[in-house]
């Protein structure tokens, strides 16, 4: 789904899969722990949309990675930059005035 050409389906579907993995992991299935590859696929799915809200959703996923002890890698930040460059968003800080993860990466 992350590589789907149907933008309307890709993001909700990969988010749904991620949430299911997180739930199963929380219930004790250690094989379902989302890793950097999982999160990168979710962030990359966001790069297919030009919706101005999508960069903030992708950043939320990156923040969630940090919170869950998963270190973002170069691919994570490359995908996040692709999300920003493909979006129609001109705002660079989140709704609370916090800098996006790309600024924190620098």
């Amino acid at each position: 789904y992350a590589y789907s050409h149907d933008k309307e389906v890709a993001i909700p579907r990969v988010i749904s899969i991620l949430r299911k993995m997180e739930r199963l992991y929380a219930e004790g299935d250690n094989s379902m722990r989302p890793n950097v590859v999982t999160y990168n696929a979710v962030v990359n799915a966001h790069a297919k949309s030009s919706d101005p809200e999508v960069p903030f959703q992708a950043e939320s996923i990156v923040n969630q990675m940090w919170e869950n002890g998963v270190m973002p890698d170069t691919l994570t930040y490359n995908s996040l930059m692709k999300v920003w460059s493909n979006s129609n968003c001109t705002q660079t800080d989140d709704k609370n005035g916090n800098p996006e993860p790309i600024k924190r990466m620098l």
Side-chain angles (χ1 to χ4, degrees):
Y1 288 99
Y3 296 99
S4 172
H5 294 289
D6 187 348
K7 295 178 251 183
E8 301 301 319
V9 172
I11 294 173
R13 184 66 180 142
V14 295
I15 294 292
S16 172
I17 292 168
L18 176 63
R19 298 295 177 245
K20 184 173 184 177
M21 290 177 71
E22 291 170 336
R23 181 180 51 80
L24 291 171
Y25 176 67
E27 292 173 355
D29 186 347
N30 290 334
S31 69
M32 296 306 292
R33 182 176 190 254
N35 60 24
V36 70
V37 174
T38 308
Y39 286 108
N40 284 347
V42 175
V43 173
N44 191 51
H46 286 73
K48 307 222 181 320
S49 176
S50 60
D51 182 336
E53 292 299 313
V54 166
F56 300 105
Q57 295 168 7
E59 288 178 3
S60 176
I61 297 299
V62 175
N63 289 333
Q64 186 179 352
M65 289 175 74
W66 284 102
E67 291 168 9
N68 291 334
V70 179
M71 290 294 295
D73 62 8
T74 302
L75 184 58
T76 308
Y77 288 109
N78 285 345
S79 296
L80 192 54
M81 287 188 284
K82 186 175 179 182
V83 170
W84 273 101
S85 67
N86 289 344
S87 78
N88 290 327
C89 186
T90 58
Q91 180 180 346
T92 59
D93 294 341
D94 72 13
K95 307 241 183 297
N96 298 319
N98 300 313
E100 75 272 3
I102 292 175
K103 285 182 183 173
R104 282 182 277 151
M105 175 185 69
L106 303 172

